[in-house]
Amino acid sequence: MVGLVLLMRYTRTHTVHSQLYLASTAVFMMEISKFTLCILIIFWEKQSLRGLANEIHKHTVGSPEEMIKLCVPSFLYTVQNNLLYLALTNLDAATYQILYQLKILTTAIFSKTMLQRQFSRTKWLSLLLLTAGVAVVQSSGSRDSSSSYERDRDANRAVGLAAVLCAACTSGFSGVYFEKILKGSDASVFVRNVQMGIPSIVIALGTVCVQDYREVKERGFFGGYNAYVWGVIGVQAVGGLIVAVVVKYADNVLKVFASSFSIILSCLISAFLFDFRPNALFLLGAALVCLSTALYSKPDKRGVGTRVILPMMTGGVRKSSMVM
């Protein structure tokens, strides 16, 4: 999902602020797009409208308790998607990629408190390295020069940091909560996205009305939209589902490689597109984060019995990957 992060960063910084599209409307359109795509996929699987209707009815109207429980992660994922737009408005893509790895730490904390999960010393060490790496990156002061409007840069960075921290917390909690309430469910990834899409669409639309009603009335719902913005929405809708399916079947080594590769690739591309110039502290912090990710994903010795949730990027993804 490196392309999504970079494209989102581009759309949030290469436009005059007064003409910037509203993040809340983009989140709403992403939810609509993803919901529609999942409906089409389920229809293709069932090969008939009756089969589609029966499947949707079974997992929505026929499962009211499950739908009520899913309102919590749906709300959190909608908040999280809005926070990620805010974060990428104020942070460069490389810094964002590294800071967002704190979702591993928050997932571990919530797993410990909510599921009473035990972690080995190696995993606790990896979490300490992750925290240290993020702290080093944040204190490095590295940033790009892609912004096309003048603001208080320090204030912007603080807002971006706060948004990433909140997004990491919502990611960790929603992933663990999702696992806790839905153990043993036989619903597919696409059915699960339809279940969560219904409340998510309502919540996203409510966010538009409460947060940006005046601007929508003045500029229109699609004010500031262009081909790049629609690209962000499309990549979020389609890419998130692809990642959910791929990660479900990918082995642990591939997950670690993908996470580390995304950080490195973000740094390289940001250097060319956004004039990003990482200093020594940034590179040290990035190395610590990559090392911590590898250590955290390393299988425990037999007898430890640790089960780990590896959080995945949202904006389309509705599941957490569990590995033994």
Side-chain angles (χ1 to χ4, degrees), residues 113-127:
T113 56
M114 295 173 62
L115 302 177
Q116 288 74 51
R117 188 151 292 155
Q118 301 300 315
F119 294 99
S120 65
R121 293 180 180 178
T122 300
K123 285 185 169 53
W124 284 119
L125 174 61
S126 71
L127 294 175

Side-chain angles (χ1 to χ4, degrees), residues 196-268:
M196 298 186 68
I198 295 172
S200 292
I201 289 171
V202 175
I203 295 168
L205 182 59
T207 302
V208 174
C209 296
V210 173
Q211 179 177 306
D212 296 312
Y213 175 78
R214 183 172 298 178
E215 290 198 52
V216 169
K217 189 175 181 180
E218 293 177 356
R219 299 171 51 199
F221 192 90
F222 300 107
Y225 275 57
N226 55 35
Y228 294 109
V229 177
W230 285 111
V232 168
I233 294 171
V235 171
Q236 272 193 300
V238 178
L241 293 174
I242 293 175
V243 170
V245 174
V246 170
V247 173
K248 181 178 180 180
Y249 298 103
D251 61 28
N252 221 28
V253 175
L254 182 58
K255 293 170 189 173
V256 176
F257 174 79
S259 178
S260 301
F261 180 73
S262 66
I263 293 174
I264 296 171
L265 189 61
S266 291
C267 293
L268 294 176

